[in-house]
Amino acid sequence: MKILVAEDEPILIRTIEVRLKKDGHELCLATDGQQAMDRMTDFVPDMVITDIMMPYASGLEIISFARQQEKRKIPIIILSSMGQEDVVLEAFKLGADDYITKPFSPNELSVRVRRLLSV
Amino acid sequence: MLQLPLHVSTLVPNPHYLLLAMAVVVGTLSLIIAFMLIYLLWKNQQGRKQKEWQQQLAVALQRAIYFETPENSPPVIPLTFRTIRLLKKPAFRQLMIDELLQAKKAFTGTAADNLVTLFHQLRLDELSLQKLRSRKWHLKARGIQELAVMHQQQHTKRIYRLTNAHHELVRMEAQSAIVQLHGFEGLRFLDIVDHPISEWQQIKLLRLLSRTPGALPENTDRWLSSPNDSVVIFALKLVAEHQQQLLHGQVATCLDHPHPLVRLQAVRCLKDIYTDDTSAVLEKAYDAQTLACKLAILETLGHIGSENNCIFLSQQLVHPDNSLKLAAARALVKTGGKGLQCLQEYPQAYMYPLNEIIQQAKTEHTV
């Protein structure tokens, strides 16, 4: 499956990349919000994993953009920090399917991705 | 030929000096350019070295994050020969600590445990301990932070000693570290701390504890009678946050504390852990309080009070301070039917400024 990962922390994006590639997914990585939206047009992902707080465009903007662009509904997982409950709720309103709070376990993320892609 | 006077001819530049000046300027410029070139080359080399080091570290960290502990043997995370060689350099070791710390903050579960294993395997805690022994406060604070994030509980004793350190920032880091390492049990530093715990530090500790599983220790009440006023204030916040109704009596005694801020915090705490006796306790303590504390009591009575408090609250409407009048009117409105009746029937209810105060309180309540 093709997954777009938008995350600005190098250690996180590298770890997610290793884990999801090991699971057999094709990845497209973006280190800021604008880059994620630019790549979404030509990559056409089956799933989006996005951080909330990112430079140039936030995760919420990415969710809105993804929902406007998509031809079929794709699952979206958001990565949020502790104490961002309001933002998480806003993300769900915009159409996010699941969220994971940082710090998180890469194995847990892998399981959530598998579960959402199999639905 | 025009003959210049002697004093004027001395002002004409001598070609010898002109050449010398030009040589000095050219020489200085050359030196500056050479220095800039060498600096840029050095900077470029440093940048490349840093990039190469970070690549090595990224590989090592990924190996650690996804390391699977073999059964029946101690976990040893494999590292490349190059990484092991680079680890002899102090700068690389420090970079390794920085990257490990960042990664540890980002992950939980096995990944986080493996990062701690790598920290321990490379004996990086020794470097953190060296910082702890330093005389420079910023190094001490950094060392404490490193040991806390990497969950090095074996160094608790050394960190605990610094919870009452003279330097405020070292002390703050040590207190946070102890709570990070031992949760609620770590709060025992409150027994020994002589220095004030700043408002900011109290917020930081409460935030750390909110993410910690467990409950307040049974002997929390001893902090309510601490000689350190800031410890009493912090303990009152803990009691309120963790709804320790059993400590209501001890909290009520804090209303007689000599420090006004302790008394104010006690009122706020009673608002959160109130019982049937609370409003009577607050009424009794009211007269001896400062204006801020009186306002807090009236606000609390509005929140927890009943019709039984209406007489007391009506009495406050005669106070010359308008802020107290308004707080009492607000509390009466909040207590409901009888409170509103008391306000309407109050002899000066239709005279300025009470008429406007009552109107304001009523409007706020309906909005």
Side-chain angles (χ1 to χ4, degrees):
Chain A
M1 291 288 191
K2 291 162 86 175
I3 303 175
L4 174 82
V5 182
E7 169 61 63
D8 60 333
E9 273 185 61
I11 179 75
L12 278 177
I13 201 158
R14 219 177 296 134
T15 308
I16 295 171
E17 183 188 10
V18 172
R19 175 75 246 189
L20 297 181
K21 273 191 176 167
K22 204 175 158 191
D23 290 346
H25 300 294
E26 186 188 335
L27 294 192
C28 177
L29 307 174
T31 50
D32 66 63
Q34 190 54 53
Q35 205 178 48
M37 291 197 279
D38 292 344
R39 296 209 170 153
M40 219 177 283
T41 42
D42 45 303
F43 182 69
V44 196
D46 298 307
M47 174 184 255
V48 174
I49 300 173
T50 176
D51 183 17
I52 296 269
M53 302 287 280
M54 272 193 303
Y56 307 119
S58 74
L60 298 179
E61 287 170 81
I62 294 173
I63 298 169
S64 305
F65 183 78
R67 289 288 176 243
Q68 280 165 15
Q69 292 287 306
E70 67 191 4
K71 293 185 178 79
R72 62 190 168 86
K73 193 177 184 304
I74 56 163
I76 299 175
I77 299 179
I78 50 168
L79 303 171
S80 72
S81 300
M82 273 193 188
Q84 287 190 322
E85 283 81 2
D86 293 346
V87 191
V88 170
L89 291 177
E90 184 63 33
F92 275 118
K93 270 188 208 162
L94 291 170
D97 297 277
D98 199 357
Y99 81 103
I100 195 158
T101 310
K102 289 192 247 179
F104 64 92
S105 153
N107 295 335
E108 189 188 335
L109 177 71
S110 163
V111 172
R112 283 178 194 243
V113 167
R114 216 176 310 149
R115 187 179 60 84
L116 275 176
L117 287 175
S118 64
V119 170
Chain B
M1 199 176 152
L2 183 69
Q3 192 73 35
L4 289 167
L6 187 63
H7 67 279
V8 175
S9 67
T10 55
L11 292 175
V12 176
N14 186 328
H16 172 71
Y17 287 125
L18 196 65
L19 279 172
L20 194 68
M22 278 170 71
V24 167
V25 170
V26 170
T28 313
L29 278 173
S30 310
L31 270 174
I32 291 170
I33 290 166
F35 172 77
M36 279 166 69
L37 278 172
I38 292 166
Y39 178 76
L40 282 173
L41 279 170
W42 176 80
K43 190 99 180 147
N44 193 20
Q45 199 188 7
Q46 289 293 314
R48 268 187 287 141
K49 195 167 81 177
Q50 186 87 355
K51 214 174 166 183
E52 190 208 336
W53 283 10
Q54 268 166 344
Q55 277 170 354
Q56 290 289 327
L57 284 171
V59 174
L61 287 186
Q62 291 309 318
R63 279 188 183 195
I65 288 168
Y66 293 112
F67 176 70
E68 283 173 24
T69 313
E71 278 178 39
N72 305 324
S73 62
V76 180
I77 294 158
L79 295 170
T80 60
F81 177 69
R82 178 132 180 79
T83 308
I84 295 167
R85 214 179 50 187
L86 281 171
L87 275 165
K88 285 176 189 152
K89 296 180 190 243
F92 185 80
R93 283 164 75 83
Q94 187 51 52
L95 196 63
M96 174 68 113
I97 293 179
D98 294 343
E99 295 280 319
L100 272 171
L101 252 65
Q102 227 184 338
K104 173 69 174 50
K105 284 179 194 164
F107 300 112
T108 56
T110 322
D113 295 344
N114 288 345
L115 292 168
V116 174
T117 306
L118 183 61
F119 185 81
H120 200 67
Q121 182 184 315
L122 300 176
R123 294 188 178 171
L124 294 173
D125 57 330
E126 283 172 13
L127 211 66
S128 303
L129 283 175
Q130 264 178 34
K131 287 180 202 141
L132 219 68
R133 285 192 284 266
S134 162
R135 298 180 96 185
K136 292 175 182 161
W137 69 266
H138 63 278
L139 286 179
K140 258 192 206 309
R142 198 170 171 181
I144 296 168
Q145 221 174 47
E146 288 170 4
L147 293 171
V149 173
M150 298 316 288
H151 222 72
Q152 300 296 296
Q153 281 188 325
Q154 71 273 27
H155 303 302
T156 298
K157 256 188 191 172
R158 289 166 200 261
I159 301 172
Y160 186 72
R161 273 186 222 130
L162 294 169
T163 56
N164 199 28
H166 186 67
H167 197 284
E168 192 188 2
L169 292 173
V170 173
R171 200 165 64 231
M172 281 168 72
E173 277 307 332
Q175 291 169 357
S176 303
I178 284 291
V179 170
Q180 264 176 282
L181 291 171
H182 297 279
F184 287 94
E185 283 306 311
L187 286 175
R188 67 193 170 96
F189 76 81
L190 294 173
D191 293 334
I192 55 140
V193 69
D194 299 326
H195 300 276
I197 306 172
S198 68
E199 191 88 2
W200 172 245
Q201 175 67 352
Q202 290 181 31
I203 294 170
K204 205 175 157 193
L205 292 171
L206 287 171
R207 193 156 182 254
L208 278 172
L209 289 167
S210 72
R211 299 172 187 169
T212 310
L216 276 179
E218 277 177 18
N219 46 3
T220 303
D221 57 324
R222 70 186 188 275
W223 300 322
L224 291 173
S225 48
S226 165
N228 183 340
D229 295 340
S230 64
V231 169
V232 184
I233 292 174
F234 182 60
L236 287 165
K237 287 180 186 170
L238 284 171
V239 169
E241 185 90 8
H242 296 271
Q243 296 285 309
Q244 300 288 299
Q245 263 90 0
L246 285 173
L247 296 176
H248 186 278
Q250 283 96 320
V251 173
T253 58
C254 290
L255 291 171
D256 301 324
H257 197 280
H259 200 293
L261 285 178
V262 173
R263 299 201 298 270
L264 182 63
Q265 197 57 47
V267 175
R268 288 176 184 158
C269 179
L270 286 170
K271 187 181 172 187
D272 289 322
I273 59 160
Y274 69 92
T275 62
D276 293 342
D277 307 328
T278 309
S279 44
V281 168
L282 289 173
E283 280 184 15
K284 202 177 152 198
Y286 184 83
D287 285 334
Q289 305 305 332
T290 57
L291 178 67
C293 207
K294 280 181 175 169
L295 286 170
I297 289 178
L298 293 175
E299 201 221 319
T300 307
L301 286 176
H303 188 71
I304 66 166
S306 64
E307 293 180 347
N308 299 335
N309 305 109
C310 287
I311 298 169
F312 170 79
L313 290 170
S314 305
Q315 284 165 356
Q316 308 317 314
L317 293 171
V318 289
H319 200 281
D321 192 302
N322 283 342
S323 62
L324 281 174
K325 279 190 191 122
L326 180 61
R330 278 176 181 150
L332 277 165
V333 171
K334 279 184 187 167
T335 52
K338 197 176 173 196
L340 277 169
Q341 197 188 333
C342 280
L343 270 180
Q344 307 287 2
E345 289 170 3
Y346 193 75
Q348 294 157 357
Y350 299 98
M351 288 168 69
Y352 182 82
L354 211 53
N355 57 346
E356 288 196 5
I357 286 172
I358 293 170
Q359 190 54 43
Q360 165 82 12
K362 279 183 183 172
T363 316
E364 280 174 9
H365 190 62
T366 46
V367 172

